[in-house]
Amino acid sequence: MQDEDVIREFLVESHENLSRLDQELVELEKHPKDAELLASIFRTIHTIKGTCGFLAFSTLERITHQAESLLSQLRDGRRELSPSLVSLILDTVDATRKVLGSIEATGEEGPDRFEDLTERLRVAAQLTGDSAVQPGAGMTPAAAAEPLDNNGFSEHAEDKPREGDAAKSSAVADANIRVGVGLLDKLMDLVGELVLTRNQILQFNTEREDAALNVTSQRLNLITTELQEGVMKTRMQPIGMVWNKLPRVVRDMAVALGKQIRLEMDGAETELDRTIIEAIKDPLVHLVRNSCDHGVEPPEVRVRAGKPPQGRLTLRAYHEGGQVNIEIGDDGAGIDVARVKQKAIEKGLLRPEQSEKLTDREALNLVFQPGFSTAKTVTNVSGRGVGMDVVKSNIEKIGGIVDVFSRPGEGTTVKLKIPLTLAIIPGLVISSGGERFVIPQVSLLELIRLEGDSGEKHIERVHGTPVYRRRGTLLPIAYLNQVLGLESAERADVVSMVVLQAEDRQFGLVVDGINDTQEIVVKPLSKQLKGLTVYAGATIMGDGRVALILDVLGIGQRSGVLAESREQSRAATEQKTQSGIEQQRLLLFRAGSFERLAVPLSLVARLEEFPQSSIEHAGGCQVVQYRNRILPLIPLRDVLESGAPDHGQTADPVQVIVFNDGDRSVGLVVDQILDVAEEAVTVRQKTGRKGLLGSAVVGKHVADFLDLNQVIRAAAEDWFQSTGGSANGKRILVAEASAFSRGLIRSGLDMVGYRVLEAANLDEAIRGLEQHPVDIVVTALDLPPDGSSALLTAMRRRTEWQGIPILALANSAEQARTRAGQTADFQDCQVKFDREAMLESVARLASTLASSETVPVCVGEER
Amino acid sequence: MVTDIATMKSGLAQTSGQFSTFFVADLFFGVDVLRVQEVLRFQQMTRVPQAPEVIEGLINLRGQIVTAIDMRRRLRLPPRAGDQTPMNMVVRTEDGAVSLLVDEIGDVLDVDAATFERPPENLDPAARELIRGVYKLKDRLLLVLDAERTVDLAAGRPA
């Protein structure tokens, strides 16, 4: 903040104080014992003294300092007030006024040092007797001994015009008046009403064709807008008002912490509504203290790191897109992401396995979690576990956003995005279920209108969760009518969607109609409705009806598009992206010491019970007669625990899971069938154990996934030997990111007799192709890193790979259909996990291979 | 500003012995006349989806947004006949103005404090919470509605 501004403020304030002082002193003469008056006078002088010291006006400081000592004696009752003392103080006031006039005119205190006055004040303060303060005749610049009534007062006033500087002194005071904040608020309310009425008139105007009304309403429109801006301006204050006290904060902190910190401020003149200034005051101070304490390193550490010993703290404020950005940056050590994670784990804010998946940016945002502080030591300035979360919630309360950026060794920057004002905001009017709602423009990113015969079809589903592909990324979608429980007319062919941003996440909100944007006046909801998180308030529309303002964050949370906390949401999206593949119905069962085993239910043909007596032996295998065929039985326990002693007799009847493969079946003998669970599954831990794919959490308990192919192969190798057919010997490369999905695809192919190569990403796939002759490639469309087309391109570049047919696997039938229709690059496209279709397709591709020609086939129908 | 609130508050505490009366179903209610800001015909209302069901909606009262509470539902009485439009009785509460939707507006009555009695113990709990007492008028009973409790939706809920 520029000195001139500070001085101007000081002048305005001091002039006011001095006028009051004149009145108070006169009043004091009448009631010399009025402690309240004395205290007030003391405070006024004290304030001026304090500011003078700050601004380095030494003469003024000296005068007021002496007066203050005198006044403190009076205030404390150590001496009686006498008329001579009053006049002495009045002289002080006059002298002060004169110096202020000089400051205003020249910026300097002027040549007069007022030494005699200072001396008299000093003497008066030393002596307790009244006589001591008798004016030294002729020494005073003003007649101090004159009777102190209104006359004496006016004589001083008459003196003024003679003092040329003092005449001007009123210039500043006159150009500024102090207005109560209450009055400004009231004016703002009235302007709000006027804006509403203006909107009403404008709407009225569009309904009728009246030239006169038209002209008038246009004028009204312009004037209202101007008035609104004007009144808003009266409430605007430069952010420097808050920054003013920061140099002191930084200095004190630096001294206390033994650091050297230079504060740089840029954009102090940036203006904000006073309500917002109030709201950001504390968060700002907190952030600055934080930067001093945790950000900037002690000088010796800085020197060791090759930085200048003096740290830099930068405050920047600027307007951007109808908002004010405030940045608090330091050139310190940056935030140690590893320590943040570790701390979060210690505090129970994060699970260890989550921490590995967290990106640095996400980890940084952990500092905003309640109860978090990375300071190694708790100092008296910070590190008490309250802070950043409060900062965040305070900023969000006023519709702002907090973000933190950090580079190790280079520093940390906290960025606040703050709306200019809260009272009148631009909003988008939308409709849903026959009602109108307003969405604050700040939360709005874009509008999307899906039309044509497939409006609704652009919205795809990931296991029932609607998503929209927006420039290549999936945008979760919520339907406003569902969130609010409203009945909407059947959407025909057009879908209107608004893309919203809450915190740092985005989602689409489908609405019935998008109307227009308006300036709206935000009114709070009554107590009875405060509990509804989906509304931010209400407003009155142009037609005089009330419309509710949606709370974007609340809508997101209520619809489940945004989870309550960042971590949860991240985990959820992670699951969602995988759930298309891995949300599965699982059969859970028990065998031997394995309490919880799982296989996908889709692989299971039937569950059967056979009495022990029906089990026969054939070719070294247990078999039963089953539907006029021989069903080989595999005792699972023996496979998984080969070599373990037999635990007594098996149950009677035995529980058998029957798996079908074409004409053949095989039965798996288990101890007990437990349950069928429908669950999004992520294989968390791969086991090296034979017969198991890995383990995952299913229904809150860990279950082991059975590698069916391995189990069956281990137990009934010869059963597979007989499989034969076109499949035999053909090598298939399965490229798919998820180990679990890959295992399932492989087990399907294995069972029919293909040899399977696995690849988790593009590189592995290419390596596989280079190292082995491959007959068919089965690839997921979403093969990392960039999708299957990269693999396709790579394969088309090498002549020896060009003839290899490719089967693409899509996550949904919808995707499969579009891809099959769009491109002939792949020979076929099927839905992942539609095992039958996949095998059929592979068999078809294999047979085309046999006839040594590749014919692109597109299997479009959905199974 | 301060004085405004002070007067309003003291206004709320004061009782005049005069009651604005209204009907909800066959019940005859009274609210202290000093509390009543105004009485309006049925207004166009904006529904508030997801709001508690006693809230009928929001009305625009000359630029002030006022929440309307349906007294039938508040007292857990059967709904109004289809063709009957309720009246708005706007009362001042500590939380600002709230509109009570009632069936019909009655006269302003002077009552004799001697005829006051506590509400009967066996009154429906939903109503009992909201009724401060009963004035025994000559031809009927006047139930004194506790406006603050009425607009406090947490009150009178079945446990």
Side-chain angles (χ1 to χ4, degrees), chain A residues 193 433 435 483-486 523 526-529 532 535 538 540 544-546 548 558, chain B residues 44-51 55 58-60 62-63 65 67 69 95 98 151 153:
Chain A
E193 292 305 318
E435 302 282 335
V483 177
L484 298 179
L486 293 169
K523 307 226 168 197
S526 68
K527 186 177 70 182
Q528 295 84 5
L529 299 169
L532 295 174
Y535 306 118
I540 295 168
R545 289 197 63 187
V546 178
L548 289 155
R558 190 173 181 109
Chain B
Q44 219 173 12
M45 220 160 279
T46 300
R47 278 195 295 160
V48 184
Q50 304 294 322
I55 291 177
L58 301 174
I59 56 173
N60 170 11
R62 296 184 301 279
I65 295 177
T67 307
I69 293 178
D95 187 41
V98 175
V151 301
L153 299 187

mmCIF file of all heavy atoms in Angstrom, chain A residues 193 433 435 483-486 523 526-529 532 535 538 540 544-546 548 558, chain B residues 44-51 55 58-60 62-63 65 67 69 95 98 151 153:
data_model
loop_
_atom_site.group_PDB
_atom_site.id
_atom_site.type_symbol
_atom_site.label_atom_id
_atom_site.label_comp_id
_atom_site.label_asym_id
_atom_site.label_seq_id
_atom_site.Cartn_x
_atom_site.Cartn_y
_atom_site.Cartn_z
ATOM 1 N N GLU A 193 -33.345 -4.331 -4.533
ATOM 2 C CA GLU A 193 -34.773 -4.270 -4.835
ATOM 3 C C GLU A 193 -34.998 -3.602 -6.182
ATOM 4 O O GLU A 193 -35.825 -4.020 -6.988
ATOM 5 C CB GLU A 193 -35.510 -3.472 -3.747
ATOM 6 C CG GLU A 193 -35.552 -4.155 -2.402
ATOM 7 C CD GLU A 193 -36.141 -5.540 -2.500
ATOM 8 O OE1 GLU A 193 -37.150 -5.709 -3.218
ATOM 9 O OE2 GLU A 193 -35.572 -6.459 -1.893
ATOM 10 N N GLY A 433 -38.469 -29.900 -13.938
ATOM 11 C CA GLY A 433 -39.725 -30.289 -13.317
ATOM 12 C C GLY A 433 -40.700 -29.141 -13.181
ATOM 13 O O GLY A 433 -41.449 -29.059 -12.215
ATOM 14 N N GLU A 435 -40.120 -26.099 -12.539
ATOM 15 C CA GLU A 435 -39.689 -25.037 -11.645
ATOM 16 C C GLU A 435 -38.442 -24.374 -12.233
ATOM 17 O O GLU A 435 -37.710 -24.986 -12.995
ATOM 18 C CB GLU A 435 -39.320 -25.621 -10.266
ATOM 19 C CG GLU A 435 -40.424 -26.371 -9.582
ATOM 20 C CD GLU A 435 -41.450 -25.450 -8.943
ATOM 21 O OE1 GLU A 435 -41.090 -24.308 -8.621
ATOM 22 O OE2 GLU A 435 -42.602 -25.875 -8.779
ATOM 23 N N VAL A 483 -32.256 -35.432 -8.430
ATOM 24 C CA VAL A 483 -31.655 -34.925 -7.197
ATOM 25 C C VAL A 483 -32.722 -34.264 -6.334
ATOM 26 O O VAL A 483 -32.759 -34.422 -5.122
ATOM 27 C CB VAL A 483 -30.537 -33.912 -7.510
ATOM 28 C CG1 VAL A 483 -29.964 -33.336 -6.225
ATOM 29 C CG2 VAL A 483 -29.428 -34.575 -8.306
ATOM 30 N N LEU A 484 -33.604 -33.529 -6.984
ATOM 31 C CA LEU A 484 -34.601 -32.787 -6.229
ATOM 32 C C LEU A 484 -35.915 -33.542 -6.092
ATOM 33 O O LEU A 484 -36.855 -33.059 -5.474
ATOM 34 C CB LEU A 484 -34.856 -31.434 -6.905
ATOM 35 C CG LEU A 484 -33.644 -30.502 -6.973
ATOM 36 C CD1 LEU A 484 -34.002 -29.216 -7.666
ATOM 37 C CD2 LEU A 484 -33.112 -30.214 -5.583
ATOM 38 N N GLY A 485 -35.990 -34.719 -6.696
ATOM 39 C CA GLY A 485 -37.226 -35.486 -6.604
ATOM 40 C C GLY A 485 -38.376 -34.849 -7.357
ATOM 41 O O GLY A 485 -39.523 -34.877 -6.903
ATOM 42 N N LEU A 486 -38.081 -34.273 -8.513
ATOM 43 C CA LEU A 486 -39.125 -33.618 -9.301
ATOM 44 C C LEU A 486 -39.522 -34.508 -10.470
ATOM 45 O O LEU A 486 -38.723 -35.280 -10.975
ATOM 46 C CB LEU A 486 -38.613 -32.293 -9.862
ATOM 47 C CG LEU A 486 -38.316 -31.188 -8.851
ATOM 48 C CD1 LEU A 486 -37.565 -30.067 -9.541
ATOM 49 C CD2 LEU A 486 -39.606 -30.677 -8.257
ATOM 50 N N LYS A 523 -30.749 -13.790 -1.721
ATOM 51 C CA LYS A 523 -31.394 -13.607 -0.418
ATOM 52 C C LYS A 523 -31.267 -14.917 0.352
ATOM 53 O O LYS A 523 -31.408 -15.986 -0.227
ATOM 54 C CB LYS A 523 -32.877 -13.286 -0.613
ATOM 55 C CG LYS A 523 -33.091 -12.122 -1.549
ATOM 56 C CD LYS A 523 -34.086 -11.175 -0.992
ATOM 57 C CE LYS A 523 -34.068 -9.898 -1.789
ATOM 58 N NZ LYS A 523 -34.705 -8.819 -1.077
ATOM 59 N N SER A 526 -34.857 -18.973 4.855
ATOM 60 C CA SER A 526 -35.253 -18.892 6.261
ATOM 61 C C SER A 526 -34.702 -20.092 7.029
ATOM 62 O O SER A 526 -34.232 -21.068 6.458
ATOM 63 C CB SER A 526 -36.772 -18.863 6.372
ATOM 64 O OG SER A 526 -37.291 -20.109 5.972
ATOM 65 N N LYS A 527 -34.775 -19.979 8.328
ATOM 66 C CA LYS A 527 -34.232 -20.985 9.228
ATOM 67 C C LYS A 527 -34.752 -22.389 8.896
ATOM 68 O O LYS A 527 -34.034 -23.364 8.958
ATOM 69 C CB LYS A 527 -34.625 -20.595 10.659
ATOM 70 C CG LYS A 527 -34.030 -21.452 11.741
ATOM 71 C CD LYS A 527 -34.433 -20.935 13.108
ATOM 72 C CE LYS A 527 -35.911 -21.155 13.389
ATOM 73 N NZ LYS A 527 -36.359 -20.623 14.684
ATOM 74 N N GLN A 528 -36.039 -22.424 8.526
ATOM 75 C CA GLN A 528 -36.659 -23.732 8.282
ATOM 76 C C GLN A 528 -36.004 -24.453 7.112
ATOM 77 O O GLN A 528 -36.094 -25.666 6.999
ATOM 78 C CB GLN A 528 -38.159 -23.584 7.975
ATOM 79 C CG GLN A 528 -38.993 -23.064 9.119
ATOM 80 C CD GLN A 528 -38.968 -21.558 9.212
ATOM 81 O OE1 GLN A 528 -38.401 -20.875 8.371
ATOM 82 N NE2 GLN A 528 -39.575 -21.017 10.256
ATOM 83 N N LEU A 529 -35.380 -23.696 6.212
ATOM 84 C CA LEU A 529 -34.817 -24.305 5.011
ATOM 85 C C LEU A 529 -33.301 -24.333 5.028
ATOM 86 O O LEU A 529 -32.667 -24.770 4.076
ATOM 87 C CB LEU A 529 -35.301 -23.538 3.779
ATOM 88 C CG LEU A 529 -36.820 -23.537 3.596
ATOM 89 C CD1 LEU A 529 -37.225 -22.555 2.524
ATOM 90 C CD2 LEU A 529 -37.318 -24.925 3.265
ATOM 91 N N LEU A 532 -31.172 -27.474 4.081
ATOM 92 C CA LEU A 532 -31.115 -28.047 2.741
ATOM 93 C C LEU A 532 -29.827 -27.610 2.053
ATOM 94 O O LEU A 532 -29.665 -26.456 1.694
ATOM 95 C CB LEU A 532 -32.314 -27.568 1.917
ATOM 96 C CG LEU A 532 -33.669 -28.035 2.433
ATOM 97 C CD1 LEU A 532 -34.778 -27.384 1.650
ATOM 98 C CD2 LEU A 532 -33.774 -29.544 2.332
ATOM 99 N N TYR A 535 -29.532 -25.861 -1.746
ATOM 100 C CA TYR A 535 -29.817 -24.481 -2.123
ATOM 101 C C TYR A 535 -28.840 -23.526 -1.442
ATOM 102 O O TYR A 535 -28.499 -23.691 -0.287
ATOM 103 C CB TYR A 535 -31.237 -24.083 -1.712
ATOM 104 C CG TYR A 535 -32.279 -25.023 -2.251
ATOM 105 C CD1 TYR A 535 -33.091 -25.755 -1.404
ATOM 106 C CD2 TYR A 535 -32.434 -25.184 -3.625
ATOM 107 C CE1 TYR A 535 -34.036 -26.632 -1.895
ATOM 108 C CE2 TYR A 535 -33.372 -26.054 -4.132
ATOM 109 C CZ TYR A 535 -34.173 -26.786 -3.258
ATOM 110 O OH TYR A 535 -35.086 -27.648 -3.750
ATOM 111 N N ALA A 538 -32.224 -17.815 -2.244
ATOM 112 C CA ALA A 538 -33.344 -17.629 -3.150
ATOM 113 C C ALA A 538 -33.237 -16.245 -3.758
ATOM 114 O O ALA A 538 -32.472 -15.402 -3.280
ATOM 115 C CB ALA A 538 -34.655 -17.794 -2.399
ATOM 116 N N ILE A 540 -35.614 -13.200 -6.353
ATOM 117 C CA ILE A 540 -36.896 -12.891 -6.959
ATOM 118 C C ILE A 540 -36.671 -12.615 -8.441
ATOM 119 O O ILE A 540 -35.805 -11.828 -8.810
ATOM 120 C CB ILE A 540 -37.549 -11.700 -6.251
ATOM 121 C CG1 ILE A 540 -37.861 -12.120 -4.811
ATOM 122 C CG2 ILE A 540 -38.818 -11.272 -6.969
ATOM 123 C CD1 ILE A 540 -38.242 -10.991 -3.910
ATOM 124 N N GLY A 544 -41.561 -11.531 -10.621
ATOM 125 C CA GLY A 544 -41.982 -11.371 -9.239
ATOM 126 C C GLY A 544 -42.059 -12.669 -8.470
ATOM 127 O O GLY A 544 -42.317 -12.659 -7.271
ATOM 128 N N ARG A 545 -41.817 -13.775 -9.156
ATOM 129 C CA ARG A 545 -41.865 -15.033 -8.414
ATOM 130 C C ARG A 545 -40.495 -15.361 -7.833
ATOM 131 O O ARG A 545 -39.466 -14.874 -8.275
ATOM 132 C CB ARG A 545 -42.320 -16.171 -9.332
ATOM 133 C CG ARG A 545 -43.793 -16.067 -9.688
ATOM 134 C CD ARG A 545 -44.318 -17.371 -10.214
ATOM 135 N NE ARG A 545 -44.246 -18.435 -9.217
ATOM 136 C CZ ARG A 545 -44.525 -19.704 -9.507
ATOM 137 N NH1 ARG A 545 -44.872 -20.059 -10.721
ATOM 138 N NH2 ARG A 545 -44.454 -20.619 -8.572
ATOM 139 N N VAL A 546 -40.530 -16.208 -6.837
ATOM 140 C CA VAL A 546 -39.296 -16.576 -6.158
ATOM 141 C C VAL A 546 -38.658 -17.745 -6.906
ATOM 142 O O VAL A 546 -39.362 -18.621 -7.401
ATOM 143 C CB VAL A 546 -39.608 -16.997 -4.702
ATOM 144 C CG1 VAL A 546 -38.345 -17.432 -3.977
ATOM 145 C CG2 VAL A 546 -40.278 -15.858 -3.955
ATOM 146 N N LEU A 548 -35.271 -20.538 -6.572
ATOM 147 C CA LEU A 548 -34.225 -21.006 -5.660
ATOM 148 C C LEU A 548 -32.876 -20.995 -6.358
ATOM 149 O O LEU A 548 -32.783 -21.275 -7.557
ATOM 150 C CB LEU A 548 -34.557 -22.423 -5.192
ATOM 151 C CG LEU A 548 -35.752 -22.482 -4.236
ATOM 152 C CD1 LEU A 548 -36.423 -23.838 -4.287
ATOM 153 C CD2 LEU A 548 -35.319 -22.141 -2.830
ATOM 154 N N ARG A 558 -25.193 -34.374 -3.014
ATOM 155 C CA ARG A 558 -26.446 -35.074 -2.824
ATOM 156 C C ARG A 558 -26.644 -36.137 -3.897
ATOM 157 O O ARG A 558 -27.147 -37.220 -3.651
ATOM 158 C CB ARG A 558 -27.602 -34.089 -2.847
ATOM 159 C CG ARG A 558 -28.863 -34.767 -2.407
ATOM 160 C CD ARG A 558 -30.018 -33.825 -2.242
ATOM 161 N NE ARG A 558 -31.140 -34.598 -1.795
ATOM 162 C CZ ARG A 558 -31.636 -34.536 -0.586
ATOM 163 N NH1 ARG A 558 -31.126 -33.728 0.285
ATOM 164 N NH2 ARG A 558 -32.659 -35.284 -0.268
ATOM 165 N N GLN B 44 -49.023 -16.641 -5.171
ATOM 166 C CA GLN B 44 -48.303 -17.581 -6.004
ATOM 167 C C GLN B 44 -47.085 -18.067 -5.220
ATOM 168 O O GLN B 44 -46.428 -17.274 -4.552
ATOM 169 C CB GLN B 44 -47.832 -16.863 -7.257
ATOM 170 C CG GLN B 44 -47.943 -17.728 -8.459
ATOM 171 C CD GLN B 44 -47.627 -16.944 -9.709
ATOM 172 O OE1 GLN B 44 -47.131 -15.833 -9.656
ATOM 173 N NE2 GLN B 44 -47.934 -17.542 -10.836
ATOM 174 N N MET B 45 -46.831 -19.345 -5.309
ATOM 175 C CA MET B 45 -45.823 -19.897 -4.437
ATOM 176 C C MET B 45 -44.771 -20.676 -5.213
ATOM 177 O O MET B 45 -45.078 -21.279 -6.223
ATOM 178 C CB MET B 45 -46.493 -20.825 -3.442
ATOM 179 C CG MET B 45 -45.881 -20.657 -2.099
ATOM 180 S SD MET B 45 -46.902 -21.233 -0.794
ATOM 181 C CE MET B 45 -48.020 -19.910 -0.538
ATOM 182 N N THR B 46 -43.555 -20.623 -4.759
ATOM 183 C CA THR B 46 -42.492 -21.415 -5.372
ATOM 184 C C THR B 46 -42.231 -22.613 -4.485
ATOM 185 O O THR B 46 -41.912 -22.463 -3.313
ATOM 186 C CB THR B 46 -41.210 -20.580 -5.508
ATOM 187 O OG1 THR B 46 -41.500 -19.449 -6.320
ATOM 188 C CG2 THR B 46 -40.099 -21.374 -6.138
ATOM 189 N N ARG B 47 -42.405 -23.764 -5.068
ATOM 190 C CA ARG B 47 -42.149 -24.989 -4.312
ATOM 191 C C ARG B 47 -40.676 -25.086 -3.947
ATOM 192 O O ARG B 47 -39.819 -24.601 -4.673
ATOM 193 C CB ARG B 47 -42.472 -26.212 -5.188
ATOM 194 C CG ARG B 47 -43.932 -26.573 -5.217
ATOM 195 C CD ARG B 47 -44.063 -27.964 -5.778
ATOM 196 N NE ARG B 47 -43.640 -28.054 -7.174
ATOM 197 C CZ ARG B 47 -43.299 -29.192 -7.786
ATOM 198 N NH1 ARG B 47 -43.319 -30.317 -7.114
ATOM 199 N NH2 ARG B 47 -42.934 -29.198 -9.041
ATOM 200 N N VAL B 48 -40.398 -25.758 -2.860
ATOM 201 C CA VAL B 48 -39.007 -26.008 -2.486
ATOM 202 C C VAL B 48 -38.818 -27.516 -2.431
ATOM 203 O O VAL B 48 -39.134 -28.150 -1.436
ATOM 204 C CB VAL B 48 -38.667 -25.387 -1.113
ATOM 205 C CG1 VAL B 48 -37.186 -25.587 -0.800
ATOM 206 C CG2 VAL B 48 -39.018 -23.931 -1.090
ATOM 207 N N PRO B 49 -38.320 -28.090 -3.519
ATOM 208 C CA PRO B 49 -38.134 -29.542 -3.519
ATOM 209 C C PRO B 49 -37.193 -29.953 -2.388
ATOM 210 O O PRO B 49 -36.251 -29.214 -2.078
ATOM 211 C CB PRO B 49 -37.487 -29.815 -4.881
ATOM 212 C CG PRO B 49 -37.833 -28.639 -5.720
ATOM 213 C CD PRO B 49 -37.950 -27.486 -4.804
ATOM 214 N N GLN B 50 -37.453 -31.067 -1.813
ATOM 215 C CA GLN B 50 -36.646 -31.645 -0.731
ATOM 216 C C GLN B 50 -36.853 -30.951 0.618
ATOM 217 O O GLN B 50 -36.220 -31.319 1.590
ATOM 218 C CB GLN B 50 -35.139 -31.621 -1.066
ATOM 219 C CG GLN B 50 -34.769 -32.303 -2.350
ATOM 220 C CD GLN B 50 -35.020 -33.784 -2.300
ATOM 221 O OE1 GLN B 50 -34.813 -34.435 -1.295
ATOM 222 N NE2 GLN B 50 -35.527 -34.336 -3.375
ATOM 223 N N ALA B 51 -37.725 -29.959 0.652
ATOM 224 C CA ALA B 51 -37.951 -29.278 1.922
ATOM 225 C C ALA B 51 -38.864 -30.136 2.792
ATOM 226 O O ALA B 51 -39.553 -31.022 2.284
ATOM 227 C CB ALA B 51 -38.584 -27.921 1.672
ATOM 228 N N ILE B 55 -43.600 -27.298 4.678
ATOM 229 C CA ILE B 55 -43.300 -26.068 3.955
ATOM 230 C C ILE B 55 -43.970 -26.105 2.591
ATOM 231 O O ILE B 55 -43.687 -26.958 1.761
ATOM 232 C CB ILE B 55 -41.789 -25.853 3.845
ATOM 233 C CG1 ILE B 55 -41.256 -25.541 5.239
ATOM 234 C CG2 ILE B 55 -41.470 -24.723 2.879
ATOM 235 C CD1 ILE B 55 -39.790 -25.380 5.329
ATOM 236 N N LEU B 58 -42.265 -20.713 -1.105
ATOM 237 C CA LEU B 58 -41.757 -19.385 -0.811
ATOM 238 C C LEU B 58 -42.616 -18.358 -1.527
ATOM 239 O O LEU B 58 -43.007 -18.559 -2.669
ATOM 240 C CB LEU B 58 -40.312 -19.244 -1.296
ATOM 241 C CG LEU B 58 -39.296 -20.230 -0.714
ATOM 242 C CD1 LEU B 58 -37.945 -20.079 -1.391
ATOM 243 C CD2 LEU B 58 -39.149 -20.025 0.782
ATOM 244 N N ILE B 59 -42.931 -17.269 -0.847
ATOM 245 C CA ILE B 59 -43.660 -16.201 -1.516
ATOM 246 C C ILE B 59 -42.843 -14.923 -1.493
ATOM 247 O O ILE B 59 -41.987 -14.738 -0.641
ATOM 248 C CB ILE B 59 -45.065 -15.952 -0.890
ATOM 249 C CG1 ILE B 59 -44.936 -15.654 0.605
ATOM 250 C CG2 ILE B 59 -45.985 -17.118 -1.130
ATOM 251 C CD1 ILE B 59 -46.248 -15.250 1.232
ATOM 252 N N ASN B 60 -43.129 -14.082 -2.469
ATOM 253 C CA ASN B 60 -42.454 -12.795 -2.574
ATOM 254 C C ASN B 60 -43.349 -11.752 -1.938
ATOM 255 O O ASN B 60 -44.384 -11.389 -2.476
ATOM 256 C CB ASN B 60 -42.214 -12.488 -4.057
ATOM 257 C CG ASN B 60 -41.728 -11.069 -4.271
ATOM 258 O OD1 ASN B 60 -41.376 -10.367 -3.324
ATOM 259 N ND2 ASN B 60 -41.708 -10.655 -5.517
ATOM 260 N N ARG B 62 -43.319 -8.289 -1.329
ATOM 261 C CA ARG B 62 -42.701 -6.997 -1.650
ATOM 262 C C ARG B 62 -41.176 -7.048 -1.521
ATOM 263 O O ARG B 62 -40.544 -6.255 -0.834
ATOM 264 C CB ARG B 62 -43.254 -5.904 -0.737
ATOM 265 C CG ARG B 62 -44.746 -5.645 -0.932
ATOM 266 C CD ARG B 62 -45.197 -4.494 -0.075
ATOM 267 N NE ARG B 62 -44.967 -4.722 1.333
ATOM 268 C CZ ARG B 62 -45.780 -5.450 2.110
ATOM 269 N NH1 ARG B 62 -46.867 -6.000 1.604
ATOM 270 N NH2 ARG B 62 -45.501 -5.602 3.377
ATOM 271 N N GLY B 63 -40.615 -8.005 -2.173
ATOM 272 C CA GLY B 63 -39.162 -8.084 -2.205
ATOM 273 C C GLY B 63 -38.551 -8.887 -1.079
ATOM 274 O O GLY B 63 -37.370 -9.168 -1.074
ATOM 275 N N ILE B 65 -38.427 -12.436 0.828
ATOM 276 C CA ILE B 65 -38.805 -13.821 0.559
ATOM 277 C C ILE B 65 -39.266 -14.454 1.864
ATOM 278 O O ILE B 65 -38.532 -14.476 2.852
ATOM 279 C CB ILE B 65 -37.641 -14.597 -0.069
ATOM 280 C CG1 ILE B 65 -37.346 -13.997 -1.446
ATOM 281 C CG2 ILE B 65 -37.974 -16.069 -0.189
ATOM 282 C CD1 ILE B 65 -36.183 -14.602 -2.153
ATOM 283 N N THR B 67 -41.133 -17.689 3.858
ATOM 284 C CA THR B 67 -41.443 -19.118 3.832
ATOM 285 C C THR B 67 -42.879 -19.328 4.308
ATOM 286 O O THR B 67 -43.293 -18.740 5.301
ATOM 287 C CB THR B 67 -40.483 -19.883 4.747
ATOM 288 O OG1 THR B 67 -39.151 -19.540 4.387
ATOM 289 C CG2 THR B 67 -40.669 -21.375 4.622
ATOM 290 N N ILE B 69 -45.721 -21.875 5.730
ATOM 291 C CA ILE B 69 -45.879 -23.154 6.418
ATOM 292 C C ILE B 69 -47.356 -23.520 6.397
ATOM 293 O O ILE B 69 -48.206 -22.707 6.787
ATOM 294 C CB ILE B 69 -45.369 -23.057 7.864
ATOM 295 C CG1 ILE B 69 -43.856 -22.863 7.860
ATOM 296 C CG2 ILE B 69 -45.748 -24.287 8.675
ATOM 297 C CD1 ILE B 69 -43.251 -22.698 9.230
ATOM 298 N N ASP B 95 -36.924 -15.170 13.653
ATOM 299 C CA ASP B 95 -36.183 -15.498 12.439
ATOM 300 C C ASP B 95 -36.696 -14.691 11.249
ATOM 301 O O ASP B 95 -36.423 -15.016 10.107
ATOM 302 C CB ASP B 95 -36.319 -17.006 12.174
ATOM 303 C CG ASP B 95 -35.446 -17.452 11.021
ATOM 304 O OD1 ASP B 95 -34.302 -16.973 10.946
ATOM 305 O OD2 ASP B 95 -35.909 -18.256 10.199
ATOM 306 N N VAL B 98 -42.707 -15.101 8.723
ATOM 307 C CA VAL B 98 -43.073 -16.415 8.214
ATOM 308 C C VAL B 98 -44.570 -16.395 7.954
ATOM 309 O O VAL B 98 -45.333 -15.809 8.728
ATOM 310 C CB VAL B 98 -42.732 -17.525 9.236
ATOM 311 C CG1 VAL B 98 -43.238 -18.877 8.750
ATOM 312 C CG2 VAL B 98 -41.240 -17.592 9.479
ATOM 313 N N VAL B 151 -42.967 -22.149 13.951
ATOM 314 C CA VAL B 151 -42.016 -22.013 12.853
ATOM 315 C C VAL B 151 -40.721 -22.774 13.116
ATOM 316 O O VAL B 151 -39.881 -22.886 12.242
ATOM 317 C CB VAL B 151 -41.683 -20.532 12.561
ATOM 318 C CG1 VAL B 151 -42.952 -19.783 12.212
ATOM 319 C CG2 VAL B 151 -40.986 -19.881 13.744
ATOM 320 N N LEU B 153 -39.358 -26.006 13.131
ATOM 321 C CA LEU B 153 -39.874 -27.292 12.656
ATOM 322 C C LEU B 153 -39.373 -28.461 13.475
ATOM 323 O O LEU B 153 -39.889 -29.562 13.370
ATOM 324 C CB LEU B 153 -39.500 -27.486 11.188
ATOM 325 C CG LEU B 153 -40.076 -26.413 10.260
ATOM 326 C CD1 LEU B 153 -39.806 -26.773 8.819
ATOM 327 C CD2 LEU B 153 -41.561 -26.224 10.484
#
